Amino acid sequence: MTPAPALHLSGSARYDGAPVFGPLEFTAPAGTWTCLLGPSGVGKSTMLRLFAGLDSGVTFEGSLGAEDGAPLQDRIALMAQSDLLLEWRTVLDNVTLGAALRGAMPDTERALRVLTRVGLADHASKKPGALSGGQRQRVALARTLMEDRPVVLLDEPFSALDARNRSLMQDLSAELLAGRTVVQVTHDAAEAARMGDKILVMSQDRLTEVPPPATTPPRQFDAPDTLVYQGQLLRLLMETA
Ligand SMILES: Nc1ncnc2c1ncn2[C@@H]1O[C@H](COP(=O)(O)OP(=O)(O)O)[C@@H](O)[C@H]1O
Ligand SMILES: [Mg+2]
């Protein structure tokens, strides 16, 4: 894997003339895990899509990209907020979709290993319609992990999971994405407290950095400093509109 670059964004976004966010400054340090929180509609998904280069009708004024100046296009993977599974393909064929779209040979063995790690090996030949919401989300996670990119954007990746699976998938993602530049959108203060090297709360015109505990992620969910931090972060979210 090529070295993971830092990300930066400086500017503002609008849809049809209506301001979404900014002007604001965002940076995600190289090779670390940044959590982005904030009220619904503040533009978190829009920001991830801008980095991923997905044209969603947004007007962006400013600059954004990798700090090393090289294009992000082939170095970035986005796990979108909706799972975007193709209903007519099997779970396995959804996980290898990236290769199929590139006209490359799918690495079925590796896909099965990733599916095993997300606990879905037994579901590989099913269609997405036969899965629960949480299972579908884990297929989308497996597909993102398959891409093996140095920059990974995760838009509320564990929102549909039960508490146990959420904790397991947090640990798995921290393990498999170590050393990459990760930006994760989450509404869950407990999740940010576990996962973030850097934690940002977004409002329309600003990003507030809330320095996490000094321990290394993934932090224990029941460690006293994790719990105290989680409370502080939730307090700040209550006050952010
Ligand atoms: N394709 C679009 N066209 C017009 N407005 C959009 C579009 N996508 C998002 N928006 C608007 O932009 C704002 C930010 O949306 P989004 O980035 O999804 O917020 P968040 O992820 O923080 O909840 C919202 O007001 C939303 O309605
Ligand atoms: Mg969103």
Side-chain angles (χ1 to χ4, degrees):
M1 196 183 67
T2 53
L7 302 180
H8 76 88
L9 176 148
S10 172
S12 53
R14 285 177 289 128
Y15 278 110
D16 305 325
V20 178
F21 67 75
L24 50 75
E25 304 269 340
F26 168 89
T27 57
T32 66
W33 192 295
T34 299
C35 287
L36 186 60
L37 299 96
S40 290
V42 82
K44 305 178 297 296
S45 296
T46 299
M47 190 185 282
L48 296 195
R49 282 199 300 268
L50 281 166
F51 277 116
L54 298 177
D55 180 22
S56 51
V58 67
T59 307
F60 179 73
E61 273 171 34
S63 64
L64 80 153
E67 293 277 15
D68 61 14
L72 275 171
Q73 200 184 353
D74 297 328
R75 300 190 285 169
I76 200 163
L78 169 66
M79 178 176 167
Q81 194 170 344
S82 57
D83 61 46
L84 303 178
L85 299 183
L86 301 182
E87 303 294 340
W88 61 91
R89 291 176 75 105
T90 64
V91 164
L92 181 64
D93 289 346
N94 267 285
V95 173
T96 57
L97 183 66
L101 291 175
R102 289 188 289 274
M105 195 64 166
D107 187 343
T108 304
E109 267 178 44
R110 189 162 154 260
L112 284 169
R113 281 201 301 277
V114 177
L115 274 173
T116 302
R117 295 299 303 273
V118 302
L120 293 175
D122 294 345
H123 301 270
S125 56
K126 290 185 184 168
K127 298 279 171 61
L131 304 182
S132 72
Q135 289 171 331
R136 292 178 66 107
Q137 201 170 37
R138 282 183 282 148
V139 176
L141 176 65
R143 186 175 60 192
T144 307
L145 295 172
M146 266 305 274
E147 288 300 295
D148 199 24
R149 298 289 171 94
V151 179
V152 180
L153 311 178
L154 304 171
D155 200 346
E156 302 188 34
F158 312 127
S159 57
L161 304 185
D162 62 82
R164 178 174 176 277
N165 268 315
R166 181 177 300 184
S167 189
L168 291 171
M169 292 305 108
Q170 288 168 345
D171 288 335
L172 176 68
S173 302
E175 176 194 329
L176 298 182
L177 300 178
R180 296 166 207 253
T181 305
V182 179
V183 182
Q184 178 193 10
V185 172
T186 179
H187 284 295
D188 182 354
E191 179 159 280
R194 287 205 74 206
M195 302 302 286
D197 293 302
K198 177 174 181 176
I199 299 174
L200 297 166
V201 176
M202 184 169 174
S203 61
Q204 200 179 20
D205 60 351
R206 119 182 49 181
L207 285 162
T208 305
E209 187 166 352
V210 192
T215 44
T216 308
R219 301 181 186 91
Q220 282 186 329
F221 55 79
D222 55 355
D225 56 354
T226 313
L227 291 170
V228 169
Y229 180 83
Q230 177 185 334
Q232 287 168 350
L233 190 58
L234 190 51
R235 173 70 56 198
L236 182 66
L237 290 172
M238 296 293 291
E239 292 160 2
T240 305

